[in-house]
Amino acid sequence: MYRHLEHRLAKRLREFLLQRYPDASLPNVVIEPPPKVELGDFAIPIFPFAKPLRAAPLKIAEAIRAGIGEIEGIAEMQVAPPGYLNVRIDRAWMASSLVAHQKPPADVLAGKILVEHSSINPNKAAHIGHLRNAILGDTFVRLLRYAGREVDIQNYIDNTGVQVADVVVGFTHLEKKSRSEIESLARQPRFDYYCWDLYARVSQWYEQDKKNLQVRLQTLHGIEDAASETAAIADLISTAVLRRHLETMDRLDIEYDFLPRESEILHLHFWDAAFIKLRESGVLTFENEGKNKGCWVMRRAGTGTDRVSAGDSPALPSAKNKKTNGSDAISDVNDLLTGVPLRSGVDIRPSGISEEDQKVIVRSNGTVGYVGKDIAYHMWKFGLLGRDFGYRRFYRYPSQRDCWISAMEGEKDHPHFGGVAEIYNVIDARQSEAQNTVIEALRGLGYNDAADHYTHFSYEMVALTPRCAVELGYKLSEEDKTRPYIEVSGRKGFGVKADDLLDQLIVSAKNEVDSRHSQLADAERVSIATQIAIGALRYFMLKFTKQSVIAFDFKEALSFEGETGPYAQYAVVRATSIFKKAGIDPDTFCGDVARNVSGGELAKFLEGDTADEFWELWLAAAKTSYVVNQCISTTEPAYLAKHAFQLAQLFNTFYHRHPILTETDERRKQFLLVTVAVVRRELTRTLAVMGITVPPVM
């Protein structure tokens, strides 16, 4: 209701000013929360209106206060120097709306949103860094769905890249295993752990002799040939590891709709279709001198906007000159990429882009870099490519929801993927240049609207505190023990596997649950410990802003005190126990109060100077939708974690100061109970958006 009232106030104020100053060009109305509840509930700075209205801020504020009239939900406005309007909410109106759980209609934008997250290389077990990506992405999906948006969740699978090739090298060259032997290993419960160790060994093998890297190159070329034994082995390994990744994420209630694979992007010629468009538009040009000789390049993002015209680089054969079917277009593309002379004898001219401003998209040997394939993939996402995947079911979640995967030929009846209105790509900050290159390619192709609706949801890395590294069994030097955090490295085999982290958190949480609730059955204690562990992990990953480096620590994450998941969960458990002791269902109770108690009755306990403590708690409970909108507009879920902590903190203060079930004044007791019910509901909803459930006891 807070957000709805804020919008109503801003709209009314703007309408008033436009009516009073019809010829003025008005800035947007900005509404801020005051630093203290005593100052009001909304603060509106009037300074931005002074210049366009040619009047002093205080004079404008006074005119608004005197002339705007009644606004439903607003009690009063006060003018405050040097130029503010402090606005107080009608507490009776707000309390009645909250108790009745009113949901005003919201303006929901049309169009499907695609959130891509996780995107873990399918070559080894998922690690702690992948968990931050997945939790951020999953929470953002929940935020969007809370706001009423339609969302598709995709997890891009790079099953033809260097990382997968290295594991293939490990199996076929280091361990000399046959395809059938690898297939047998892949059926083991934690095949991804086996690949983790093998991947580290291969990295060491490369370091021993750089000539060994030639095996990697040969393997990469073998993977690109869909009919080869190497490609079959790579598919076997990546598919088995991918299934393990889905099982790991399922433990955190993280699901996906579609798994597009790079192999299909290659074999279904997505890149070929994209290359034609990029080349004809002049976004891609050929370099025939310097360090990038023989490469197809584009201007590096942020280095200028001029592009070489299509006439300055090799022209593709046009359709009117073709005497054969469309398949020859692909052949000609391949000729261009590999440097083979075209049948039509096209003259290749230089790109005209300075060397330092060039971003190589296609290497001189004809292989397409990661960014090139990503451009093609994002053109498909927006429905701009003119091609599509085949689709088949791959994984069924306990909820009976199907996760689909790309295929050369798929099932006839499948959901529609791609052709979305907006994209959020959750990928770490190190990929900023690559992401900006994709956006610039879209702009160069003339797809400015798509570029404007493509957001790189970037974040920083996850490390370990020295204490956490020691608890996980790693030996640290004396110097390491003094560092603020320890970086992890998959290539060196140093890191925290996601499943190991979850297992350790559950064990630690269960020790606490065992000490408090030994009377419960073991299975129930495990279930409670799992909820606490997942709540602790998800909250820890979300409470830091995206651009903060996280140093994970078991003790800090699992603490029942301070800004943690268990602290917020415990506030809900505490609120629930009040109703349990009273033999009352909190939701039914709220419904009864909404029907039988007037806003005036509730306001008796919310009005006056001594009631500000109560009102601050009610006001915080009213802000859930407001905070959700703030998280979406800034792509920063940390605001929601702060909201959960503030609500839990205010509730715990209220709980300790005001005996509830022993209150002798029945009207006051009813007010205290309805306060608990409203806060419990809003805190539960907030935690649910964060992917955190609340156990029955803690």
Side-chain angles (χ1 to χ4, degrees):
M1 292 305 298
Y2 182 90
R3 181 190 173 208
H4 176 68
L5 192 54
E6 180 196 50
H7 284 183
R8 179 187 293 171
L9 177 61
K11 181 181 178 183
R12 184 69 173 275
L13 190 146
R14 186 172 181 82
E15 288 172 349
F16 171 80
L17 289 175
L18 284 172
Q19 185 177 16
R20 191 177 179 93
Y21 304 94
D23 298 325
S25 178
L26 298 179
N28 291 328
V29 177
V30 175
I31 300 181
E32 304 168 347
K36 296 179 180 179
V37 72
E38 294 87 354
L39 299 175
D41 307 306
F42 297 117
I44 307 174
I46 304 301
F47 314 105
F49 298 95
K51 186 174 181 179
L53 301 185
R54 297 180 181 179
L58 279 175
K59 185 177 179 181
I60 299 170
E62 184 56 45
I64 295 170
R65 187 198 65 78
I68 199 167
E70 290 187 6
I71 302 174
E72 185 185 14
I74 300 300
E76 64 173 328
M77 292 184 179
Q78 295 177 343
V79 176
Y84 281 92
L85 269 177
N86 287 340
V87 182
R88 295 184 183 275
I89 292 173
D90 182 335
R91 296 182 178 184
W93 178 89
M94 178 65 83
S96 297
S97 301
L98 271 176
V99 172
H101 199 189
Q102 291 181 6
K103 297 179 181 178
D107 294 329
V108 179
L109 296 175
K112 187 188 292 185
I113 296 176
L114 190 160
V115 177
E116 179 193 335
H117 68 80
S118 301
S119 303
I120 310 168
N121 289 316
N123 69 318
K124 65 182 188 307
H127 59 62
I128 190 170
H130 299 135
L131 288 179
R132 186 178 195 187
N133 183 307
I135 289 169
L136 281 170
D138 179 66
T139 302
F140 198 68
V141 168
R142 293 169 187 264
L143 285 161
L144 290 167
R145 286 178 172 165
Y146 183 97
R149 298 302 301 270
E150 182 184 3
V151 187
D152 266 358
I153 314 161
Q154 295 190 11
N155 178 2
Y156 180 80
I157 310 302
D158 182 2
N159 61 337
T160 66
V162 169
Q163 289 80 6
V164 170
D166 285 349
V167 179
V168 173
V169 168
F171 277 117
T172 58
H173 285 76
L174 270 67
E175 298 196 337
K176 310 293 184 184
K177 292 192 184 297
S178 66
R179 180 174 168 183
S180 61
E181 289 173 321
I182 299 170
E183 191 169 4
S184 178
L185 281 170
R187 288 194 288 267
Q188 292 182 3
R190 288 197 167 179
F191 176 65
D192 53 337
Y193 278 43
Y194 188 102
C195 292
W196 175 288
D197 295 333
L198 183 58
Y199 180 63
R201 285 171 51 204
V202 172
S203 298
Q204 293 168 3
W205 184 61
Y206 290 150
E207 291 176 3
Q208 289 168 7
D209 188 345
K210 296 301 181 183
K211 292 180 181 178
N212 292 334
L213 288 169
Q214 290 299 317
V215 180
R216 172 195 275 175
L217 292 176
Q218 294 165 7
T219 303
L220 278 168
H221 283 296
I223 289 173
E224 290 184 1
D225 179 2
S228 71
E229 178 72 3
T230 301
I233 291 172
D235 181 64
L236 167 65
I237 293 167
S238 62
T239 302
V241 172
L242 171 58
R243 195 171 293 277
R244 280 290 302 120
H245 289 169
L246 297 188
E247 291 168 353
T248 298
M249 296 305 169
D250 196 16
R251 298 179 68 184
L252 291 161
D253 196 25
I254 295 174
E255 300 180 351
Y256 310 93
D257 296 310
F258 178 49
L259 310 171
R261 294 187 296 185
E262 188 169 287
S263 53
E264 276 72 50
I265 288 177
L266 290 171
H267 302 318
L268 290 171
H269 303 292
F270 277 29
W271 165 247
D272 296 328
F275 176 80
I276 292 171
K277 292 176 182 288
L278 290 163
R279 193 216 149 284
E280 288 184 335
S281 66
V283 174
L284 273 189
T285 49
F286 191 78
E287 183 58 45
N288 62 4
E289 58 186 21
K291 68 176 182 179
N292 294 328
K293 182 178 180 180
C295 298
W296 286 89
V297 302
M298 64 175 282
R299 186 177 296 280
R300 192 178 297 276
T303 60
T305 56
D306 294 337
R307 296 195 315 276
V308 180
S309 67
D312 291 331
S313 54
L316 286 172
S318 64
K320 64 182 180 182
N321 293 329
K322 302 296 292 181
K323 295 182 180 178
T324 54
N325 62 32
S327 64
D328 277 343
I330 293 174
S331 175
D332 288 339
V333 168
N334 289 336
D335 287 345
L336 277 171
L337 296 180
T338 56
V340 177
L342 288 168
R343 290 186 292 279
S344 54
V346 173
D347 175 32
I348 296 181
R349 299 176 186 174
S351 69
I353 305 171
S354 66
E355 224 171 63
E356 59 271 19
D357 291 346
Q358 291 175 359
K359 175 68 176 177
V360 174
I361 303 300
V362 183
R363 304 179 189 94
S364 58
N365 64 2
T367 59
V368 184
Y370 163 79
V371 176
K373 287 174 279 191
D374 212 29
I375 292 169
Y377 172 41
H378 282 85
M379 290 173 67
W380 168 82
K381 285 182 179 181
F382 280 118
L384 304 172
L385 195 62
R387 293 175 185 259
D388 201 3
F389 295 102
Y391 301 92
R392 60 181 174 83
R393 291 176 178 86
F394 181 74
Y395 188 88
R396 175 159 286 188
Y397 293 103
S399 63
Q400 300 307 299
R401 176 181 178 183
D402 286 320
C403 177
W404 295 74
I405 196 167
S406 61
M408 293 295 290
E409 294 183 8
E411 300 175 33
K412 186 176 293 184
D413 298 321
H414 60 80
H416 175 70
F417 299 107
V420 299
E422 295 180 61
I423 295 170
Y424 291 89
N425 194 8
V426 184
I427 189 167
D428 74 52
R430 292 170 295 181
Q431 297 296 322
S432 292
E433 183 185 359
Q435 293 296 298
N436 289 335
T437 301
V438 173
I439 293 171
E440 288 306 307
L442 290 171
R443 293 199 188 283
L445 289 165
Y447 302 130
N448 287 312
D449 185 64
D452 289 342
H453 289 89
Y454 176 45
T455 301
H456 174 202
F457 191 116
S458 68
Y459 65 93
E460 280 293 346
M461 69 173 184
V462 183
L464 306 175
T465 63
R467 177 173 63 186
C468 183
V470 170
E471 288 176 358
L472 287 163
Y474 291 105
K475 293 182 179 179
L476 304 182
S477 67
E478 290 303 314
E479 182 183 356
D480 285 338
K481 292 176 183 177
T482 63
R483 295 174 186 243
Y485 57 81
I486 307 295
E487 292 186 36
V488 298
S489 170
R491 286 197 174 276
K492 296 177 181 177
F494 178 78
V496 183
K497 301 180 186 74
D499 282 308
D500 283 351
L501 179 63
L502 280 167
D503 291 342
Q504 185 65 39
L505 282 167
I506 291 169
V507 168
S508 299
K510 188 171 182 294
N511 289 337
E512 187 69 28
V513 175
D514 288 345
S515 67
R516 295 175 180 226
H517 303 285
S518 58
Q519 78 284 1
L520 298 177
D522 188 66
E524 189 174 358
R525 280 180 275 137
V526 170
S527 175
I528 293 167
T530 301
Q531 287 177 283
I532 294 171
I534 290 173
L537 176 61
R538 292 191 70 124
Y539 192 97
F540 194 92
M541 292 294 187
L542 293 169
K543 75 175 182 176
F544 299 96
T545 57
K546 296 178 304 174
Q547 302 312 319
S548 303
V549 174
I550 293 180
F552 188 83
D553 186 86
F554 282 109
K555 186 175 181 181
E556 183 183 348
L558 280 169
S559 174
F560 279 49
E561 299 298 327
E563 194 176 351
T564 66
Y567 178 79
Q569 287 172 312
Y570 190 59
V572 179
V573 170
R574 177 173 274 168
T576 302
S577 69
I578 293 170
F579 286 96
K580 193 177 292 183
K581 290 175 183 176
I584 302 172
D585 177 74
D587 297 322
T588 303
F589 178 76
C590 261
D592 291 341
V593 170
R595 284 189 297 271
N596 303 319
V597 178
S598 68
E601 283 292 310
L602 294 171
K604 288 178 182 178
F605 298 96
L606 294 171
E607 299 290 355
D609 295 337
T610 58
D612 281 348
E613 176 202 341
F614 290 146
W615 175 240
E616 190 174 8
L617 180 55
W618 280 74
L619 188 61
K623 289 184 177 180
T624 304
S625 294
Y626 170 82
V627 176
V628 166
N629 184 65
Q630 184 184 28
C631 292
I632 293 171
S633 62
T634 60
T635 61
E636 184 52 87
Y639 293 123
L640 194 65
K642 300 294 182 188
H643 175 61
F645 176 60
Q646 181 192 24
L647 202 49
Q649 198 174 37
L650 288 170
F651 172 75
N652 284 330
T653 300
F654 161 86
Y655 174 86
H656 288 298
R657 287 183 182 174
H658 305 283
I660 299 169
L661 296 181
T662 58
E663 175 60 56
T664 56
D665 183 331
E666 280 302 316
R667 288 196 306 169
R668 181 179 173 85
K669 181 177 180 179
Q670 182 170 252
F671 169 77
L672 295 175
L673 280 170
V674 78
T675 301
V676 175
V678 167
V679 173
R680 174 188 173 276
R681 183 191 69 211
E682 293 305 313
L683 187 50
T684 302
R685 293 171 74 206
T686 299
L687 291 174
V689 178
M690 296 171 68
I692 298 172
T693 58
V694 180
V697 296
M698 290 185 70

